[in-house]
Amino acid sequence: MISIVGHTAIDHISRVPHLPAKNCSTHISHREIYFGGGAANIAAGIAMLGEQVTLISCVGGDFAGSDYDSWMNRIGIHQQFFVVHDSHTPTAFMFTDDAGDQMTFFEWGASKVFASSESPYLPFVHMATADPEFNCRVAERSEFTSFDPGQDVFWYTKEQLGKILSHTDILFANQHEIQQMCRTLGVTKDAIVKQVGIAVFTMSGDGSTLYSQGNEHFIPVVPVILADPTGAGDSYRAGFLSAYIRGYPPLTCCKIGTVTASFVVEHVGCQTHLPDWNAMRVRYKQYFGTLESPAARND
Amino acid sequence: MISIVGHTAIDHISRVPHLPAKNCSTHISHREIYFGGGAANIAAGIAMLGEQVTLISCVGGDFAGSDYDSWMNRIGIHQQFFVVHDSHTPTAFMFTDDAGDQMTFFEWGASKVFASSESPYLPFVHMATADPEFNCRVAERSEFTSFDPGQDVFWYTKEQLGKILSHTDILFANQHEIQQMCRTLGVTKDAIVKQVGIAVFTMSGDGSTLYSQGNEHFIPVVPVILADPTGAGDSYRAGFLSAYIRGYPPLTCCKIGTVTASFVVEHVGCQTHLPDWNAMRVRYKQYFGTLESPAARND
């Protein structure tokens, strides 16, 4: 069982002819609601790949019985939620006009109770972006810990990042996030890589790099027709973690993460086009060769 | 049975510390979802006053089973809906910052099918703001017709307004709306008043005026502690129409409308604090004297 800690969120993506000025209005020509939140995206990816997964999130009184709730139940995500009845599930409203300009309104909502919540004991946990203090408590109480600070990396203090990394077995970050971690901690990337067992740095469409046992491996992306890059990182982590818990070596886990992400970016939405294990394996074979059964990993 | 034609809408009212500039974001400190839409507000007011009411609206695939759907069922509104499965129920997103400045994003959504929909035959109908062409068809096919153009008065052509007024038995408008109707039609207020049987002009917190059978009556507001004036007009019409169908004379209908509205403005939200008939009657007595049984109306 993999546990994922972090946000479940609802994204309202709207098109408008023009963004409104102060005290003006505009009409929405098209609005789509997407299931999102980093932790929920990863949990959905893992569930679709056929692994047991528990999602630890804060949701509002609006969640139970909602379409998102039904979707999670349908794909088999185990929910371990902090329910805040008088709050909303975190919700983002994004408006894009015909010129491509945007405005975003984000409601943190129920996620505020992370700050005051106790962490359960977790044998295998991935901590996605969430409240830094809660993530510290999770890291201290967990057996095996994977971590990606996401864009909330700016909210972490030196002490919080230090504490979490001292418990981290796998670290995921993109280039901006690792740079910010180095600034906050006052250390080099090499020092961080040495501290954690496995580090995976993603570079958007330019592939990813694995640091493990003193070695560095570059994993190229799988070429697909890109519809929307949102959710690529989350699905990469879903693929990696699903493979890791099955016993695949880290480099194979990175390749499986890469292949998983290649499906997601072909469609708009972070949970719209997640592959099952077999679809992933077929595409894996095409680009990386036959995916064998996992070899015994020396960890 | 009173039929109400027009919008059912969902209002998301949010507070933000500051409104975002282009390509920036802000966070929502508080968001409330209110049930709205002019026609739905009036139908809810009538249902709460204990009258049979059918609401004719366009809703999206998101409506069935929603909280709003449950609320309508609970208070006994009969739904006669055009359901557009691949659209949303009309939805408004309003953001107000700490300086009191606002931005509104309105999604017309499912209401677009009014334009191409057939009108049913209706013995007693009130037409709230909706598609002008649909309202023309309703006016032509109905027996007894009440009409308020609302803020959509600007969308009506001279021909549309003329056609509807030629079938209108009761007209409701505020000062801005009646002025716009005069401009569109190129006639005086007196001419409009003469054309329809009964005209009621509301003046926000300054009371209302009834024109009926050549007479003019002023009805003062009932003094209450104002929380939010939104929905006052809709609840006034709910009170008036509920009283009218029970056989009360127009002046008493106006007073009942005034009392009904006085409840709604005491709370935020158009359907949050609607009175039942008895609560209305108790307050009516306080300000206008005992509400007798309806006398036979000479119409």
Side-chain angles (χ1 to χ4, degrees):
Chain A
M1 173 71 77
I2 306 173
S3 299
I4 310 289
V5 166
H7 296 302
T8 291
I10 298 156
D11 298 327
H12 293 247
I13 313 285
S14 294
R15 278 301 295 257
V16 297
H18 60 87
L19 293 168
K22 259 185 197 175
N23 299 313
C24 291
S25 69
T26 190
H27 75 270
I28 294 170
S29 49
H30 188 78
R31 177 168 60 103
E32 289 281 350
I33 300 171
Y34 292 102
F35 302 151
N41 293 339
I42 299 170
I46 292 171
M48 289 295 283
L49 287 168
E51 282 303 312
Q52 292 289 312
V53 63
T54 296
L55 175 60
I56 299 169
S57 281
C58 302
V59 300
D62 53 351
F63 192 81
S66 68
D67 289 347
Y68 203 171
D69 188 18
S70 306
W71 162 246
M72 283 193 191
N73 289 325
R74 207 157 61 243
I75 64 175
I77 293 176
H78 303 272
Q79 299 174 346
Q80 191 172 334
F81 286 171
F82 302 104
V83 182
V84 189
H85 287 286
D86 62 351
S87 288
H88 293 119
T89 302
T91 306
F93 300 94
M94 274 160 272
F95 302 95
T96 307
D97 71 10
D98 289 345
D101 291 315
Q102 291 191 322
M103 279 182 185
T104 300
F105 301 76
F106 186 75
E107 184 180 21
W108 184 256
S111 279
K112 63 178 177 288
V113 301
F114 266 136
S116 57
S117 296
E118 282 300 305
S119 163
Y121 163 77
L122 301 166
F124 186 113
V125 65
H126 176 79
M127 299 180 296
T129 175
D131 183 80
E133 272 304 309
F134 184 74
N135 275 356
C136 283
R137 290 196 287 277
V138 170
E140 285 179 321
R141 292 210 59 193
S142 299
E143 192 103 353
F144 185 92
T145 305
S146 166
F147 174 53
D148 82 271
Q151 46 195 353
D152 285 350
V153 67
F154 297 95
W155 297 91
Y156 285 80
T157 64
K158 184 176 177 178
E159 290 64 37
Q160 290 167 333
L161 265 189
K163 191 183 284 181
I164 290 177
L165 287 183
S166 73
H167 291 87
T168 294
D169 299 287
I170 309 175
L171 172 67
F172 293 93
N174 68 24
Q175 301 134 289
H176 307 294
E177 290 154 12
I178 187 66
Q179 280 166 16
Q180 182 58 37
M181 290 171 81
C182 292
R183 271 196 295 272
T184 302
L185 290 164
V187 299
T188 63
K189 190 174 90 169
D190 285 348
I192 294 177
V193 164
K194 267 194 194 123
Q195 189 182 1
V196 300
I198 298 168
V200 179
F201 298 138
T202 53
M203 298 163 285
S204 306
D206 297 325
S208 56
T209 307
L210 165 71
Y211 297 85
S212 173
Q213 299 182 315
N215 297 314
E216 181 178 339
H217 302 274
F218 172 72
I219 303 98
V221 294
V222 165
V224 291
I225 295 168
L226 184 82
D228 176 16
T230 321
D234 292 332
S235 51
Y236 185 109
R237 290 182 273 277
F240 185 103
L241 295 167
S242 298
Y244 194 84
I245 208 162
R246 288 182 187 217
Y248 285 99
L251 182 57
T252 307
C253 295
C254 285
K255 292 175 185 168
I256 290 174
T258 297
V259 173
T260 305
S262 75
F263 284 87
V264 168
V265 300
E266 288 177 320
H267 288 73
V268 180
C270 298
Q271 299 179 33
T272 316
H273 194 233
L274 291 160
D276 61 18
W277 186 266
N278 195 51
M280 182 282 298
R281 188 168 49 187
V282 168
R283 191 175 287 184
Y284 185 101
K285 185 179 178 186
Q286 199 181 340
Y287 293 99
F288 296 117
T290 300
L291 178 61
E292 308 293 353
S293 289
R297 206 170 44 213
N298 55 344
D299 62 13
Chain B
M1 173 70 77
I2 305 173
S3 298
I4 310 288
V5 166
H7 296 304
T8 291
I10 298 156
D11 298 327
H12 294 246
I13 314 284
S14 294
R15 278 300 295 258
V16 297
H18 60 87
L19 293 169
K22 258 185 198 173
N23 299 313
C24 291
S25 69
T26 190
H27 74 270
I28 295 170
S29 49
H30 188 78
R31 177 167 61 103
E32 289 280 351
I33 300 171
Y34 292 102
F35 302 149
N41 292 340
I42 299 171
I46 292 170
M48 289 294 282
L49 287 168
E51 282 303 313
Q52 291 290 313
V53 63
T54 296
L55 174 60
I56 298 167
S57 281
C58 302
V59 299
D62 53 351
F63 193 81
S66 68
D67 290 346
Y68 203 171
D69 188 19
S70 306
W71 162 247
M72 284 193 189
N73 289 325
R74 206 156 61 241
I75 64 175
I77 292 175
H78 303 271
Q79 299 175 348
Q80 191 172 332
F81 286 170
F82 302 103
V83 181
V84 190
H85 287 285
D86 61 351
S87 287
H88 292 119
T89 302
T91 306
F93 299 94
M94 275 160 272
F95 301 95
T96 307
D97 71 10
D98 289 345
D101 291 315
Q102 291 190 321
M103 278 180 185
T104 301
F105 300 77
F106 187 76
E107 183 179 20
W108 184 257
S111 279
K112 64 178 177 288
V113 301
F114 266 136
S116 58
S117 296
E118 281 302 305
S119 164
Y121 162 78
L122 300 166
F124 186 113
V125 65
H126 176 79
M127 298 179 296
T129 175
D131 183 79
E133 272 303 308
F134 184 74
N135 276 356
C136 283
R137 290 195 287 277
V138 171
E140 285 178 321
R141 292 212 57 193
S142 299
E143 193 104 350
F144 185 93
T145 304
S146 167
F147 174 52
D148 81 271
Q151 48 195 351
D152 285 350
V153 66
F154 297 96
W155 296 91
Y156 285 80
T157 64
K158 184 177 178 178
E159 290 63 38
Q160 290 167 334
L161 265 188
K163 191 184 282 180
I164 290 177
L165 287 182
S166 73
H167 290 87
T168 295
D169 299 287
I170 309 175
L171 173 67
F172 294 93
N174 68 22
Q175 299 134 288
H176 307 294
E177 290 154 11
I178 187 66
Q179 280 166 17
Q180 182 59 38
M181 289 170 81
C182 293
R183 271 196 295 272
T184 302
L185 290 163
V187 300
T188 63
K189 190 173 91 168
D190 286 350
I192 293 176
V193 164
K194 267 194 193 122
Q195 188 182 2
V196 299
I198 298 169
V200 179
F201 298 138
T202 53
M203 297 163 286
S204 306
D206 297 325
S208 55
T209 307
L210 166 70
Y211 297 86
S212 172
Q213 299 182 316
N215 297 314
E216 181 179 338
H217 302 273
F218 172 72
I219 303 97
V221 294
V222 164
V224 290
I225 295 169
L226 183 81
D228 175 16
T230 320
D234 291 332
S235 51
Y236 185 110
R237 291 182 272 278
F240 186 103
L241 295 167
S242 298
Y244 194 85
I245 208 161
R246 288 181 188 218
Y248 285 99
L251 182 57
T252 307
C253 295
C254 285
K255 291 174 184 168
I256 289 173
T258 297
V259 173
T260 305
S262 76
F263 284 87
V264 168
V265 300
E266 288 177 320
H267 288 72
V268 180
C270 299
Q271 300 179 34
T272 315
H273 194 232
L274 291 161
D276 61 19
W277 186 265
N278 196 50
M280 182 283 297
R281 188 166 50 186
V282 168
R283 190 175 286 184
Y284 185 101
K285 186 179 178 186
Q286 199 182 340
Y287 292 98
F288 296 117
T290 301
L291 178 62
E292 309 292 354
S293 289
R297 205 170 46 211
N298 55 344
D299 63 13

